[in-house]
Amino acid sequence: FTTPADNETIFAMTDADRAILKDKSNYRVMDVAGFSDARSSYFHKTIGGYHAAKLTRYNDLITHQISKGNPQVLNMLNAKYILSGNDYSLNPEALGNAWFVDSIAYVADADTEMASLDSIRPGEYAVADRAFESVLLKANRRLPGDTIYETSYAPNRLTYRSHSSRGNLAVFSEIYFPWGWTATVDGKPAPIGRVNYVLRAMQVPAGDHEIT
């Protein structure tokens, strides 16, 4: 127990890893060949990886959508790069860290919500359990110039800037987990809801705002 162990090369970096890591934005990687392995998570924020315990809802998403290669679910998870061994490709349809939607559809239960993801277009609309209707309300059609984008990221604190003409429903490419998480708009508390089975969403008022 007194001799240091050399763990610097426990995971070898590939040319694909090096190329992806040149991108300094906040994105995720879909490792096709090693989805359930720890290797790619050593270098990247991945939508897979290994852990003995998984959030049940996210495990549902893996089983019913990700394992079937649903591209729209990869887009809403901001999987900007698709990695397979030493090869990778850019996914230009990845939706980024946050976006506004034009509409929201409420459904009766979790099974219906999951089934809705089979054909969802997450950049245009969201689907949510009816239990969140009083929090999420409705979405307005986006107008030119309506924007929302991430300004800082840490595992326990994220900030965004938004501009919208009429106010709108924002979807965040982060897992909805209500215990311990709070949100504010310009420092004032704001409720968080869940859409698309696993993601955070909230109402953002008209004008320019900072969301934390």
Side-chain angles (χ1 to χ4, degrees), residues 26 45 152-158 174 181 200:
N26 186 21
K45 296 185 182 77
S152 70
Y153 171 84
N156 63 342
R157 188 178 190 272
L158 302 96
E174 298 290 338
W181 284 94
R200 295 176 188 161

Side-chain angles (χ1 to χ4, degrees), residues 194-206:
R194 189 186 66 223
V195 300
N196 300 353
Y197 203 78
V198 295
L199 298 185
R200 295 176 188 161
M202 63 185 295
Q203 278 290 333
V204 177

